[in-house]
């Protein structure tokens, strides 16, 4: 519950959580829900100084990678005992990444179908990924294990490559599966991009019986 301090004026400023961390890729915007019409956002970065009002924050494009601070102030009518107002942090520490990776869920392929209660050890997964970078330089892929979410799933996927540096453009990534699924579940593969962030790819069909 938000703490409210009454002033003698008609308006009061909300108390906020001190700060929060966010990450997006270059060329994207942040999306904040229930932004109050009196909210002001002051964005500061290496060569950026911008003041935005209300929902303008949701359409502002961060075109360059880097570190940004977004200071937030909201001035709104004060009602004693009302804790229902949506809260925002006092400050957002935003990291804008230099890379973009798009995993094409519609073209994912398996060397054999994922079958309920059948070991998938050694099964390969191939998925196209399109890579873009702000500076045109190659990226280094993240080699962490890909977790596969779903009821009864113990599946994991490991990237199968001899090189982890990739240029811009379209590539086919290959992963090796291990584990199995004990239910007819819909699966979601949590791929990890070059920035270490998860990009989830959901299967369109559930795991089948043998």
């Amino acid at each position: 519950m938000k703490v409210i301090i009454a002033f003698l004026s008609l308006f009061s400023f909300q108390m906020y959580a001190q700060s929060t961390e966010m990450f997006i890729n270059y060329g994207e915007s942040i999306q904040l829900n229930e932004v109050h019409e009196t909210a002001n956002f002051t964005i500061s970065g290496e060569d950026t100084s911008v003041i935005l009002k209300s929902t303008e924050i949701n359409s502002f494009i961060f075109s360059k990678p880097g570190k940004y601070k977004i200071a937030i102030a909201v001035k709104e009518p004060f009602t004693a005992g009302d804790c229902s107002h949506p809260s925002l942090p006092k400050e957002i520490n935003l990291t804008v990444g230099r890379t973009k990776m798009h995993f094409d869920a519609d073209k994912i392929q398996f060397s054999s179908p994922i079958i309920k209660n059948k070991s998938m050890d050694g099964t390969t997964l191939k998925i196209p990924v399109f890579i873009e970078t702000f500076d045109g330089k190659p990226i280094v892929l993240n080699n962490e294990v890909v977790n596969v979410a779903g009821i009864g799933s113990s599946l994991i996927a490991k990237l199968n490559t001899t090189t982890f540096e990739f240029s811009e453009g379209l590539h086919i990534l290959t992963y090796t599966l291990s584990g199995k699924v004990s239910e007819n579940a819909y699966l979601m593969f949590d791929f990890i991009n070059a920035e270490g962030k998860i990009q989830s790819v959901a299967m369109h069909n559930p795991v089948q019986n043998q």
Side-chain angles (χ1 to χ4, degrees):
M1 182 181 295
K2 177 185 68 210
V3 177
I4 295 181
I5 302 175
F7 292 97
L8 296 179
S9 62
L10 176 63
F11 293 89
S12 70
F13 284 94
Q14 285 182 258
M15 299 296 290
Y16 303 101
Q18 287 300 304
S19 65
T20 190
E21 306 288 329
M22 292 185 69
F23 176 92
I24 60 173
N25 295 307
Y26 76 93
E28 297 178 348
S29 60
I30 64 173
Q31 296 297 312
L32 302 178
N33 295 325
E34 300 182 75
V35 178
H36 196 273
E37 62 183 9
T38 64
N40 286 329
F41 300 85
T42 302
I43 302 173
S44 57
E46 183 177 345
D47 55 1
T48 301
S49 181
V50 179
I51 298 176
L52 302 174
K53 295 182 178 180
S54 188
T55 55
E56 290 177 345
I57 187 64
N58 289 333
S59 58
F60 181 81
I61 300 298
F62 290 84
S63 59
K64 293 181 65 176
K67 302 283 188 180
Y68 297 83
K69 288 189 180 296
I70 306 174
I72 304 171
V74 180
K75 192 177 184 182
E76 62 180 353
F78 170 72
T79 304
D82 182 4
C83 296
S84 62
H85 295 298
S87 60
L88 289 168
K90 183 178 180 181
E91 184 179 79
I92 295 174
N93 295 311
L94 177 67
T95 299
V96 179
R98 59 171 282 270
T99 70
K100 293 181 181 181
M101 293 180 65
H102 172 69
F103 292 85
D104 191 344
D106 293 330
K107 295 182 179 178
I108 193 169
Q109 295 181 340
F110 297 90
S111 60
S112 62
I114 298 177
I115 302 298
K116 178 181 175 181
N117 290 325
K118 179 182 178 181
S119 173
M120 291 291 103
D121 292 1
T123 301
T124 58
L125 175 164
K126 292 185 177 182
I127 186 168
V129 59
F130 189 78
I131 296 172
E132 298 178 74
T133 63
F134 176 80
D135 51 16
K137 296 179 180 179
I139 67 169
V140 177
L141 292 185
N142 190 296
N143 195 32
E144 293 183 41
V145 168
V146 173
N147 292 308
V148 185
I151 299 173
S153 172
S154 65
L155 281 180
I156 59 171
K158 294 183 178 180
L159 185 62
N160 183 10
T161 183
T162 57
T163 179
F164 294 96
E165 186 172 276
F166 284 76
S167 61
E168 287 190 300
L170 182 65
H171 301 272
I172 306 296
L173 299 184
T174 301
Y175 295 80
T176 301
L177 303 184
S178 60
K180 65 180 181 180
V181 183
S182 61
E183 301 291 340
N184 298 113
Y186 285 89
L187 301 179
M188 181 173 292
F189 288 76
D190 290 334
F191 294 102
I192 305 172
N193 66 18
E195 308 279 0
K197 305 301 179 182
I198 290 175
Q199 293 188 19
S200 296
V201 170
M203 300 293 92
H204 299 312
N205 299 305
V207 171
Q208 301 297 307
N209 296 319
Q210 193 162 7

